[in-house]
Amino acid sequence: MCGLAGEFRFDGRAADLAAVERITHHLTPRGPDAHGSFSQGPVALGHRRLKVMDLADASGQPMVDNHLGLTLVFNGAIYNYPELREELRQLGYQFFSEGDTEVLLKAYHAWGEAMLPKLNGMFALAIWERDSKRLFMARDRLGIKPLYYSHNAERLRFASSLPALLQGGDIAKTIDPVALNHYMSFHAVVPAPRTLLSDVRKLRAGHWRRIEASGEVEEKQWWQLDFGPRRDEVPFALEDWRDALLDTLRNSVSLRHRAALDVGVLLSGGVDSSLLVGLLSEAGAKPLSTFSIGFEDAGGERGDEFQYSDLIAQHYGTQHHQLRIGEAEILEQLPGAFAAMSEPMVSHDCIAFYLLSREVSKHCTVVQSGQGADELFAGYHWYPKIDGASDALGAYREAFFDRDHSEYLSSVKSAWHGADWAGEFVREHFQAPGASNALDKALRLDSTVMLVDDPVKRVDNMTMAWGLEARTPFLDHHVAELAARIPGRFKLPQGGKHVLKEASRLVIPHAVIDRPKGYFPVPGLKHIEGATLDWVRNLLLDPSQDRGLFEIGALDRLLGNPEAQLTPLRGNKLWQMAALNLWLDQHGL
């Protein structure tokens, strides 16, 4: 787990190493243990390192192999690298280090982009080919590791975070109107390759890019998630899918337990994180630390689920840590959480993950987390509404979108008016081949787009702010591909995630399964009141914060009755607008 940066020039000038080093310095929280740089003519690379799999200096980056003519910067973890290393040894490759970085370097030399399907892990990488003067970039299947870039006629710059990329200079800080429409409508999800800034893009999950010395680009999708059972799986009953799923999850958890001496789990008390504790315990992970967070009640809503997380911690004898946060600390820590965001996010649990990661980093370097289960196994409340709907697109929009297009137009100033870009994006996604029924179309969109640019990004940003490596077993591609093949009738019962719950019954106490679905609640940011309301009002109405985005009439309506502005996803429209202002302010935009 690290941070990477680089520049590749197409105009005959040497790469600006000083700019790359400024970017790299900003990535220090992602990689606090070591740093390195490399410069050769038109290319310069920088790296910050978090030592997990191999602590030796020989695995430092940028990693240069002069014999092969390749230089690599890489962020992530390749869990099956010992097997790949042995395969490469059989091909005659020799190694000077013990970690996964050199395995990637040799694998690219051996197989080129065909190495990507062989990898099991999370990664964003850039490889400089000395002799061909080409740069190769790639991102993992489900976008667990980020990769941002700015590309113009003179140069390409890239980094692990958008705020770090801005430190290099020479990037316009103008807001992309299409991205703003997505942010305000699609629950703050801005699908790749766009970001909120017109001059910054992000590599799509499951894609690679090859950039020539001229600046010419080739980009291809190397992985996609297709839905529907294989022919031999059509007769499967619930028990068959349950057993296959449990076997696949056991392998995923065990694989992610490699090279992790101090193991932690972010334990919400729900099925997903509780199952991870159970499977890690089966795998012999000891000592096993668990971490839970809670907040003050607000609006009649409970701010913690400690009764369930305590049950699991006691059942497995974990070293359990509870963290309870008051309203004052939330407001105090919000700027830090938003400074850690590569893009503005509105989910309440951003601040929860930020503060929980702060606590976890005092005890562990690696933590497992349950992200992805709801998107893969139909755990959200909107899936039953979409299943079998005659108008799947309309049902999805009604359940997921924060605003319809007319409300969006009334919320932003006329300079930002335009087409219903977010709605059109969803329409095109639903029409694409690979998912035949309404439920599968929604699950594919959520698994490959929403998941990448909301829960997964949230976990990466908030854990990496404290130099903490988060591993997500549900996002193993074997788990995701199996989930996509399981028919919806085995997912929707029991309030969703039926097949996952049945698998969980074979591992964990039933009390955490047969319970109402919970969330990672921060009631104070949902039911905006008291000091939080005063803070939000000042943030939105302060003339120094006015960026010409929002209609004052819309703000007045929201501030006049914030409790009436909840979105279908249990968010608050007022908080969404305040969050955007706070993010822009934290990054000098």
Side-chain angles (χ1 to χ4, degrees):
M1 299 292 283
C2 310
L4 60 84
E7 178 177 283
F8 183 21
R9 299 205 69 92
F10 321 124
D11 56 4
R13 297 171 54 189
D16 188 347
L17 181 59
V20 172
E21 289 183 338
R22 290 195 301 272
I23 297 170
T24 306
H25 178 73
H26 197 79
L27 294 168
T28 298
R30 298 184 70 94
D33 296 332
H35 70 278
S37 61
F38 167 88
S39 182
Q40 186 180 78
V43 71
L45 304 173
H47 191 263
R48 293 290 323 190
R49 185 181 177 198
L50 176 65
K51 296 182 178 180
V52 177
M53 282 193 171
D54 181 9
L55 307 184
D57 291 341
S59 285
Q61 298 183 49
M63 180 173 282
V64 181
D65 190 319
N66 287 317
H67 175 68
L68 301 181
L70 299 175
T71 302
L72 166 71
V73 283
F74 152 61
N75 167 32
I78 308 302
Y79 305 119
N80 64 332
Y81 79 93
E83 292 82 1
L84 293 174
R85 181 189 180 96
E86 182 56 33
E87 187 175 350
L88 289 163
R89 281 190 184 278
Q90 295 296 321
L91 295 177
Y93 287 92
Q94 297 181 342
F95 292 83
F96 55 79
S97 67
E98 299 298 324
D100 55 350
T101 303
E102 190 183 2
V103 170
L104 276 177
L105 200 64
K106 260 76 173 183
Y108 182 73
H109 184 265
W111 302 305
E113 65 268 17
M115 76 168 179
L116 297 171
K118 295 175 174 285
L119 305 179
N120 188 327
M122 51 183 177
F123 56 88
L125 58 85
I127 299 175
W128 168 242
E129 302 178 19
R130 179 193 61 203
D131 299 334
S132 65
K133 300 293 189 292
R134 294 188 300 195
L135 186 74
F136 179 80
M137 305 165 65
R139 194 174 177 198
D140 65 63
R141 295 170 177 85
L142 287 162
I144 303 170
K145 291 291 100 183
L147 189 54
Y148 293 87
Y149 64 89
S150 173
H151 192 156
N152 59 34
E154 289 78 35
R155 55 99 186 107
L156 166 75
R157 282 209 190 122
F158 56 91
S160 292
S161 82
L162 187 155
L165 188 60
L166 296 179
Q167 303 305 307
D170 188 30
I171 292 178
K173 298 180 180 180
T174 55
I175 292 177
D176 180 345
V178 178
L180 180 64
N181 174 254
H182 275 96
Y183 174 86
M184 295 281 287
S185 306
F186 197 23
H187 199 59
V189 174
V190 179
R194 294 185 183 274
T195 74
L196 198 66
L197 299 187
S198 299
D199 210 17
V200 178
R201 293 290 183 260
K202 55 199 174 196
L203 185 59
R204 293 178 176 94
H207 282 65
W208 59 257
R209 289 186 119 222
R210 181 176 287 113
I211 304 96
E212 303 290 341
S214 63
E216 183 180 348
V217 174
E218 179 185 10
E219 180 171 327
K220 288 189 177 180
Q221 182 177 11
W222 64 271
W223 181 82
Q224 65 181 31
L225 190 59
D226 292 324
F227 282 73
R230 297 187 304 237
R231 181 174 299 178
D232 62 306
E233 295 170 335
V234 170
F236 274 18
L238 174 63
E239 292 75 16
D240 300 309
W241 291 116
R242 177 200 65 191
D243 295 344
L245 175 57
L246 189 54
D247 287 345
T248 307
L249 279 171
R250 280 190 170 117
N251 290 335
S252 176
V253 169
S254 179
L255 196 63
R256 281 154 183 77
H257 183 44
R258 287 180 169 178
L261 298 178
D262 299 313
V263 182
V265 177
L266 303 183
L267 179 60
S268 68
V271 174
D272 314 331
S273 59
S274 299
L275 179 57
L276 295 186
V277 173
L279 294 178
L280 276 166
S281 181
E282 281 187 359
K286 293 188 182 299
L288 180 58
S289 297
T290 50
F291 303 85
S292 301
I293 192 168
F295 297 87
E296 289 182 5
D297 299 351
E301 183 171 1
R302 186 176 176 85
D304 71 72
E305 295 190 324
F306 287 157
Q307 66 185 103
Y308 298 109
S309 56
D310 286 352
L311 188 156
I312 290 295
Q314 292 165 9
H315 183 83
Y316 290 102
T318 70
Q319 297 176 356
H320 191 52
H321 308 260
Q322 278 188 4
L323 184 65
R324 184 179 289 279
I325 306 297
E327 181 184 20
E329 187 171 3
I330 290 177
L331 296 181
E332 176 187 322
Q333 295 296 325
L334 271 174
F338 274 79
M341 293 179 187
S342 275
E343 299 173 75
M345 293 178 275
V346 300
S347 296
H348 305 149
D349 52 5
C350 283
I351 184 65
F353 273 107
Y354 180 75
L355 294 173
L356 188 57
S357 297
R358 179 187 66 182
E359 179 67 19
V360 175
S361 66
K362 301 173 184 176
H363 304 273
C364 304
T365 304
V366 175
V367 67
Q368 293 205 16
S369 183
Q371 271 58 47
D374 285 307
E375 293 81 2
L376 293 170
F377 296 100
Y380 291 126
H381 64 86
W382 57 85
Y383 295 125
K385 301 174 185 177
I386 295 168
D387 182 45
S390 58
D391 178 10
L393 177 63
Y396 185 88
R397 288 194 63 149
E398 183 178 352
F400 193 91
F401 273 40
D402 292 335
R403 295 170 174 83
D404 62 25
H405 193 55
S406 62
E407 185 180 352
Y408 170 74
L409 295 177
S410 69
S411 299
V412 299
K413 292 187 179 294
S414 59
W416 302 101
H417 287 190
D420 180 17
W421 289 301
E424 187 57 33
F425 175 86
V426 175
R427 182 186 305 279
E428 291 177 0
H429 209 280
F430 271 39
Q431 291 174 346
S436 58
N437 61 63
L439 176 62
D440 284 349
K441 291 176 188 294
L443 288 170
R444 182 181 61 180
L445 177 64
D446 288 351
S447 298
T448 60
V449 178
M450 183 271 282
L451 174 66
V452 175
D453 273 295
D454 189 2
V456 166
K457 181 168 62 183
R458 183 189 327 151
V459 172
D460 171 81
N461 287 188
M462 299 300 104
T463 55
M464 288 270 74
W466 302 100
L468 179 66
E469 175 175 315
R471 299 180 177 179
T472 48
F474 288 104
L475 300 184
D476 184 297
H477 67 280
H478 297 296
V479 176
E481 290 165 357
L482 175 61
R485 299 198 306 271
I486 300 175
R489 65 183 182 276
F490 298 120
K491 298 174 183 174
L492 290 177
Q494 290 189 32
K497 297 193 290 193
H498 180 41
V499 64
L500 179 62
K501 291 174 181 177
E502 292 305 298
S504 300
R505 291 184 193 282
L506 304 179
V507 180
I508 61 175
H510 293 191
V512 298
I513 302 171
D514 301 318
R515 48 160 291 198
K517 178 174 174 57
Y519 292 88
F520 212 160
V522 187
L525 297 181
K526 175 181 175 182
H527 307 279
I528 298 177
E529 56 191 31
T532 304
L533 178 57
D534 293 337
W535 181 84
V536 167
R537 180 181 289 108
N538 291 334
L539 184 64
L540 287 172
L541 298 184
D542 183 346
S544 68
Q545 298 293 325
D546 184 6
R547 293 172 173 83
L549 295 174
F550 306 129
E551 285 287 354
I552 189 66
L555 294 178
D556 287 341
R557 287 193 300 273
L558 293 172
L559 288 164
N561 190 5
E563 185 64 22
Q565 308 304 329
L566 299 184
T567 71
L569 295 184
R570 302 177 175 88
N572 190 296
K573 298 174 185 178
L574 186 60
W575 167 243
Q576 183 186 58
M577 298 162 90
L580 178 55
N581 258 20
L582 180 56
W583 184 82
L584 292 168
D585 183 62
Q586 287 299 303
H587 298 294
L589 299 169

